[in-house]
Amino acid sequence: MTNWKIDESHSEIGFKVKHLMITNVSGYFTRFKGNIQTNSDDFHDATITFEAAADSIDTQNKQRDEHLRNGDFFDASNHPKISFVSKKVRKVGDEAYKLLGDLTIKGETHPIELDVVHGGVTVDPYGQTKAGFALKGRLHRTDYGLRWNATTEAGGIVLSDEVKLNMEIQLVKQA
């Protein structure tokens, strides 16, 4: 069994949500960790656990970030962690996978499927073996209790329900 950990300094956990239904607003979680165990070189049998600190959300706007941390959204003081536990990895191409698992946000757990592209494995200048992955997916934020919204004067909604997930993950092999 080979153990890998997410290299937090070389990884990004990002998302986009439509604002006023005309543009996307991007954000990131800046504190997270993950463990991956596999018996294979191509990760097709990987078991994955992941956690992000809900209060580490960063959208480059302090006022918006504070709103996202409160009870209208993540309620980070009562639900400090966002977590993911894999159920299955399915190889669908040479470097393409479907990752199925359970995502928990604000105490609500739902299945999610992520598209994964394996970028390869290499050894860094310090002798550490690294593996790279790009992940994409979508979720409906209201499924996870993130229900706050407002309407514009014209009757449009402020935030879409769909959230696009974009992650760049670099793993480091553990000794």
Side-chain angles (χ1 to χ4, degrees):
M1 180 74 59
T2 304
N3 292 310
W4 301 78
K5 289 195 180 299
I6 291 179
D7 181 347
E8 194 175 334
S9 64
H10 295 105
S11 300
E12 293 179 353
I13 306 300
F15 63 90
K16 291 182 183 291
V17 64
K18 279 251 191 234
H19 182 256
L20 299 175
M21 306 316 290
I22 58 171
T23 57
N24 283 306
V25 172
S26 298
Y28 299 89
F29 290 92
T30 60
R31 291 190 328 275
F32 50 86
K33 62 183 177 181
N35 295 300
I36 294 82
Q37 294 184 323
T38 183
N39 284 315
S40 68
D41 290 336
D42 71 355
F43 293 87
H44 77 272
D45 60 349
T47 301
I48 302 156
T49 58
F50 170 84
E51 286 184 353
D55 68 354
S56 75
I57 194 164
D58 185 353
T59 65
Q60 302 295 306
N61 180 294
K62 187 176 180 173
Q63 183 179 353
R64 179 173 49 225
D65 294 346
E66 286 304 317
H67 188 205
L68 290 168
R69 289 180 188 113
N70 81 23
D72 284 342
F73 288 96
F74 290 101
D75 194 11
S77 60
N78 292 311
H79 301 281
K81 293 179 183 171
I82 296 166
S83 63
F84 173 83
V85 177
S86 66
K87 295 283 186 186
K88 183 177 184 179
V89 176
R90 190 171 69 239
K91 191 167 184 173
V92 295
D94 285 343
E95 302 300 329
Y97 301 81
K98 296 284 186 184
L99 172 57
L100 294 88
D102 289 331
L103 179 64
T104 302
I105 301 173
K106 200 176 176 180
E108 297 279 339
T109 302
H110 295 282
I112 190 168
E113 181 178 281
L114 302 170
D115 295 319
V116 180
V117 175
H118 183 224
V121 177
T122 192
V123 177
D124 73 9
Y126 307 102
Q128 296 179 308
T129 301
K130 301 279 189 97
F133 297 88
L135 297 88
K136 291 186 178 192
R138 298 171 189 265
L139 62 84
H140 293 280
R141 64 185 181 85
T142 55
D143 290 348
Y144 296 91
L146 309 177
R147 293 185 177 87
W148 182 91
N149 216 334
T151 54
T152 64
E153 286 183 23
I157 59 172
V158 173
L159 294 175
S160 69
D161 184 39
E162 183 180 81
V163 177
K164 296 175 186 174
L165 305 174
N166 297 298
M167 296 160 272
E168 294 288 334
I169 303 294
Q170 191 172 111
L171 303 178
V172 61
K173 189 175 187 177
Q174 303 299 290

